[in-house]
Amino acid sequence: MKAIQISHSQELNIIDIEKPQAPEAGEVLLKMEYVGFCGSDINTFMGRNTMALNPVIPGHEIGAVIEAVGSGVPDSLKPGMVVTCNPYTNCKHCASCRNGRVNACQHNETLGVQRNGAMKEYIVMPWEKIIPAGNLTSKTSALIEPMSVGFHAVSRAQVTDVDVVMVIGCGMVGMGAIVRAVTRGATVIAADIDDEKLALAKQMGAAYAVNTKTEDVHQRLADITGGFGPDVVIEAVGNPFTYQMAVNEVAFTGRVTCIGYAKSDVTFQTKLFVQKELDIRGSRNATPEDFRGVIRYLERGTCPVEELITKVIRPEEALDTMRWWSENPGKVFRILVKF
């Protein structure tokens, strides 16, 4: 069967691998229909993802159909169902797993990063990792996982309806954070350097949009919040500048939640941690509850799904597409590969 394989040296190949056989006990065989390229994949392609196998079959944003089920799989999972997958592993023994926060397992191996992923025609998964997608199409289902990461960050920040929340970075993960904060009743400020992304963020519920490249961010935030600053800042970029912005601009006694990985060290005025008595929290991956929340949101039919999909490509177009993405990093929400 056909699979996509990328390396850290800007190489991408279509390879032929053996198709999985009938699923064994407790397993489900999935036919891939759409799989998304994400930021970790372009970083792998550009040689910047030190966590990824080299080479690796990418892919953990899945829209698939159940082909067959093995013995011992619950009756709720049936052939023909549209599903997505929880792409993370958990060891059950580390501190995170012991504390019930398996999404942050110390030894996690995400599909398409630390282990070969789903960007191939078929994959076998443990039934526990299969998430039925309700009435969503397989195309829409490929957006569930990245949005769920944003949903999880909002949960980590304990956002409520009295909060003003600034989300820095309006990619797919940031859009997920915007949606979740809006559905919790918060007032949301979207921040990005791209006006098209900011316009879409407002369409998805953000009350305000701030271009961090062309505007005086501090003054805009002061105007919006009456001088207090946002109660919550969610960093969804992974850049030293935006990390510093989050700490500098959050209100006294505010919460900063970090999703993005900065590629270099970040220098902070640590006195702000103490003076503001900040809560600074990491947010990693997503929980089954976050996946279900995204599915419920998408089932409403109010999400501009097509505007979140930059391109749908065939596997044979993947190399040219990755080269294009590397030259136009700010213009991509999600690229889906159709199998």
Side-chain angles (χ1 to χ4, degrees):
M1 67 177 181
K2 188 182 298 182
I4 293 173
Q5 185 182 70
I6 59 178
S7 76
H8 293 206
S9 55
Q10 300 189 37
E11 294 180 0
L12 185 151
N13 295 294
I14 308 301
I15 61 174
D16 186 58
I17 61 175
E18 186 176 352
K19 178 183 174 182
Q21 301 301 310
E24 297 182 0
E27 293 182 337
V28 177
L29 176 64
L30 300 179
K31 182 181 186 300
M32 293 296 110
E33 295 202 341
Y34 293 89
V35 183
F37 273 124
C38 80
S40 63
D41 300 323
I42 190 64
N43 282 325
T44 299
F45 182 74
M46 297 296 292
R48 299 191 295 245
N49 188 355
T50 58
M51 295 187 294
L53 296 176
N54 186 21
V56 65
I57 296 173
H60 55 259
E61 302 174 359
I62 293 169
V65 172
I66 295 177
E67 182 86 358
V69 298
S71 61
V73 173
D75 291 340
S76 57
L77 298 176
K78 302 179 183 298
M81 289 181 63
V82 175
V83 298
T84 191
C85 296
N86 182 327
Y88 324 118
T89 63
N90 55 284
C91 70
K92 303 179 182 179
H93 304 295
C94 71
S96 300
C97 291
R98 184 179 60 186
N99 292 329
R101 291 165 63 177
V102 297
N103 57 290
C105 174
Q106 181 178 351
H107 306 293
N108 166 66
E109 293 184 349
T110 299
L111 279 174
V113 185
Q114 294 95 342
R115 56 188 173 129
N116 281 321
M119 209 159 275
K120 50 194 175 185
E121 294 179 271
Y122 293 89
I123 192 172
V124 169
M125 294 285 288
W127 74 262
E128 295 92 342
K129 297 296 183 181
I130 306 301
I131 301 174
N135 62 19
L136 301 180
T137 66
S138 57
K139 184 178 181 182
T140 300
S141 298
L143 304 180
I144 294 170
E145 191 275 342
M147 293 191 77
S148 72
V149 176
F151 271 47
H152 185 65
V154 171
S155 294
R156 289 283 294 140
Q158 296 179 301
V159 170
T160 71
D161 59 350
V162 301
D163 289 319
V164 176
V165 178
M166 179 167 76
V167 178
I168 307 176
C170 296
M172 275 296 300
V173 171
M175 289 296 187
I178 289 168
V179 166
R180 191 52 156 174
V182 169
T183 60
R184 288 191 174 198
T187 300
V188 178
I189 305 167
D192 202 281
I193 61 174
D194 187 278
D195 286 332
E196 292 181 13
K197 288 185 175 181
L198 289 171
L200 185 54
K202 292 195 74 173
Q203 187 177 338
M204 297 184 74
Y208 302 94
V210 178
N211 189 312
T212 58
K213 186 176 182 179
T214 62
E215 298 184 69
D216 183 333
V217 175
H218 181 76
Q219 187 58 54
R220 276 297 309 281
L221 294 177
D223 292 343
I224 293 167
T225 65
F228 292 108
D231 304 290
V232 175
V233 177
I234 295 174
E235 200 288 336
V237 177
N239 182 288
F241 173 76
T242 51
Y243 262 84
Q244 291 167 343
M245 180 190 298
V247 171
N248 292 341
E249 299 300 341
V250 72
F252 273 64
T253 67
R255 288 102 72 199
V256 175
T257 299
C258 307
I259 310 173
Y261 284 87
K263 306 301 186 296
S264 59
D265 292 342
V266 185
T267 302
F268 292 105
Q269 295 186 58
T270 53
K271 67 179 183 180
L272 296 179
F273 298 5
V274 178
Q275 288 177 343
K276 292 186 176 184
E277 199 175 54
L278 298 180
D279 290 335
I280 299 177
R281 305 173 182 182
S283 181
R284 186 180 182 193
N285 299 331
T287 66
E289 179 185 8
D290 300 314
F291 279 83
R292 292 195 299 272
V294 174
I295 292 168
R296 285 195 298 270
Y297 163 67
L298 291 172
E299 283 183 323
R300 297 177 190 170
T302 59
C303 179
V305 168
E306 291 302 321
E307 294 186 50
L308 295 174
I309 300 171
T310 306
K311 290 187 177 185
V312 178
I313 64 171
R314 295 177 290 107
E316 292 76 14
E317 300 172 290
L319 176 58
D320 287 343
T321 301
M322 293 296 273
R323 287 172 174 167
W324 170 82
W325 188 5
S326 68
E327 296 169 358
N328 300 274
K331 296 298 182 183
V332 172
F333 282 108
R334 270 304 174 270
I335 294 168
L336 302 185
V337 179
K338 182 177 182 180
F339 283 91

